[in-house]
Amino acid sequence: VALLLLLALCNAIKIHGEESNGLCDVNLTLRSRPHSVSILEFGAVGDGKTLNTIAFQNAIFYLKSFADKGGAQLYVPPGRWLTGSFNLTSHLTLFLEKGAVILGSQDPSHWDIVEPLPSYGPGTELPGKRYRSLVNGYMLRDVVITGDNGTIDGQGSVWWEWFTSHSLNYSCPHLVEFVSSESILVSNITFLNAPAYNMHPVYCSHVHIHHITVYAPPGSPYTVGIVPDSSDNVCIEDCSISMGHDAIALKSGWDEYGIAYGRPTANVHIRRVQLQSFSGSSLAFGSQMSGGISDVQVQQLHLYDSLTGIEFRTTKGRGGYIKEIAVSDVDMLNIKTAFGANGHFGSHPDDKFDPDALPLVAKITIQNIIGTNISMAGNFTGIEESPFTSICLSNVSLSINSASSSPWQCSYVSGFSESVFPEPCSELNNPDASSSCFSLLKPNGRAAVL
């Protein structure tokens, strides 16, 4: 059985860097727009001091009239364009020229206040309303944010100070957020110093994010790079992300609110990315996952200088599921814990959650991993009433930097492993579990049962 499993896993993906076809191979492409205007035409001043919120709003309002004429482009030339939050429109390209920097105002009165997302109930950091993101899209279609490596800088240091001193009136804003939108393309942009998330597609479909650079300093609290949230058909590729907290985090709502909203994150393809996270995980699933996370294909990652490499997070009361996850061809360097699965992670939005809403974590395959200077191989802590099952490891080689006799810790978890060093815990050496393991990276980008 073990030999058959290994053969199936190896046939599912070329071992030496050749990838199978997946969602990223058939996703959105950049389209030209028949109409284009410069933000200069609307009175904007790129001196880093003049507030340009009205200029951006007026420009996009004008370009909205071209939606049925092939769409339009808003061109941002070199300069430092200070602004508060503004909304995009459908069939629009926001193009940032080389040397163009959109700066988020450090005056909170320049950021709109909006209601919390329905799948998060009373809100995230604080109960009640939240600050709207700097760049927003609501119920839009066919939107592109791109350029010649222009920059969107949230100037988040003041927000981080307010967060740590508990002086915020509302939850922190993100840099770019799309809500209930589809056909979104983001490419060739640098994101810096987000107050919280950098890219947050929530309740979205067909999102393609590629060739972006994302950075926030190590001390920035809870900054996250890309957060696909209750969204489907998402491609993330060829990105470099270094964050204070998580680099990429997949989510789908919080406790009873996420369960009621009922929209999973599904059909996600992540490949050829470099990820670093100071206080979190390079790649995280959850912990807000109450709508479910499934059908995720991950390949060709470089993870470095992180607290945790790959982590699955949940807790009692979450409900939902994390399943059908396939991770392959990962290089890790200087990671404290290579793999984690934690069934006791995170808090609750209020006391209305159902403690009997038990999450399902199952059918996770991880293969072709090389790790250097790793402190701990894996920590898998499941839930007694709902153990994590079908955790499958293959062709994993980790160089452990500590003298610990227990590089793996496991409880309430079961699975199968083959060619794994150091030897995993006995719970992950169950041959009977191999029949329910998932193979990796089928041509359609979906995992398929062996």
Side-chain angles (χ1 to χ4, degrees), residues 306-326:
S306 298
L307 184 65
T308 306
I310 300 169
E311 187 170 27
F312 305 88
R313 308 163 171 167
T314 188
T315 192
K316 292 181 183 179
R318 287 286 190 271
Y321 52 81
I322 303 174
K323 64 179 183 178
E324 299 170 24
I325 313 297

Side-chain angles (χ1 to χ4, degrees), residues 90-358:
S90 293
H91 310 292
L92 174 75
T93 295
L94 176 63
F95 187 97
L96 277 66
E97 185 59 83
K98 183 177 182 180
V101 182
I102 293 179
L103 290 171
S105 171
Q106 293 187 312
D107 183 341
S109 68
H110 297 155
W111 300 66
D112 296 337
I113 308 299
V114 294
E115 296 294 330
L117 293 164
S119 58
Y120 287 85
T124 51
E125 295 144 9
L126 294 168
K129 296 182 179 181
R130 62 193 183 110
Y131 288 103
R132 189 192 294 274
S133 299
L134 186 65
V135 182
N136 300 276
Y138 177 67
M139 296 188 69
L140 302 184
R141 179 179 176 84
D142 176 26
V143 179
V144 176
I145 300 177
T146 189
D148 187 11
N149 199 32
T151 298
I152 301 177
D153 186 343
Q155 301 197 104
S157 59
V158 294
W159 297 97
W160 308 330
E161 292 172 8
W162 293 330
F163 177 85
T164 55
S165 64
H166 305 286
S167 56
L168 280 169
N169 294 320
Y170 308 102
S171 294
C172 275
H174 310 312
L175 267 191
V176 176
E177 181 176 73
F178 288 96
V179 181
S180 302
S181 299
E182 60 178 299
S183 299
I184 306 300
L185 174 61
V186 180
S187 68
N188 300 301
I189 294 288
T190 295
F191 294 92
L192 298 177
N193 305 314
Y197 303 166
N198 287 268
M199 273 293 307
H200 187 216
V202 57
Y203 321 140
C204 290
S205 295
H206 301 287
V207 179
H208 194 171
I209 302 168
H210 69 93
H211 291 98
I212 70 169
T213 300
V214 188
Y215 176 80
S220 55
Y222 294 104
T223 52
V224 186
I226 303 174
V227 185
D229 193 345
S230 292
S231 295
D232 60 84
N233 293 288
V234 177
C235 165
I236 302 170
E237 61 179 340
D238 300 306
C239 298
S240 177
I241 305 172
S242 177
M243 301 307 299
H245 191 50
D246 296 332
I248 296 176
L250 287 73
K251 299 180 180 291
S252 66
W254 201 4
D255 286 7
E256 67 270 23
Y257 305 102
I259 295 171
Y261 197 84
R263 175 152 183 174
T265 286
N267 198 18
V268 178
H269 189 184
I270 301 169
R271 68 179 182 183
R272 298 193 305 264
V273 294
Q274 300 185 60
L275 307 177
Q276 184 269 337
S277 61
F278 179 74
S279 65
S281 296
S282 298
L283 177 61
F285 296 78
S287 71
Q288 297 98 339
M289 39 63 70
S290 302
I293 301 171
S294 69
D295 199 3
V296 180
Q297 174 182 315
V298 182
Q299 58 190 132
Q300 298 180 14
L301 306 187
H302 174 60
L303 314 181
Y304 65 99
D305 298 343
S306 298
L307 184 65
T308 306
I310 300 169
E311 187 170 27
F312 305 88
R313 308 163 171 167
T314 188
T315 192
K316 292 181 183 179
R318 287 286 190 271
Y321 52 81
I322 303 174
K323 64 179 183 178
E324 299 170 24
I325 313 297
V327 181
S328 180
D329 296 309
V330 180
D331 173 62
M332 296 186 180
L333 176 65
N334 304 331
I335 306 291
K336 186 172 182 181
T337 301
F339 310 111
N342 191 340
H344 306 278
F345 192 101
S347 60
H348 302 283
D350 51 35
D351 58 1
K352 299 177 183 178
F353 71 95
D354 179 4
D356 295 325
L358 299 174

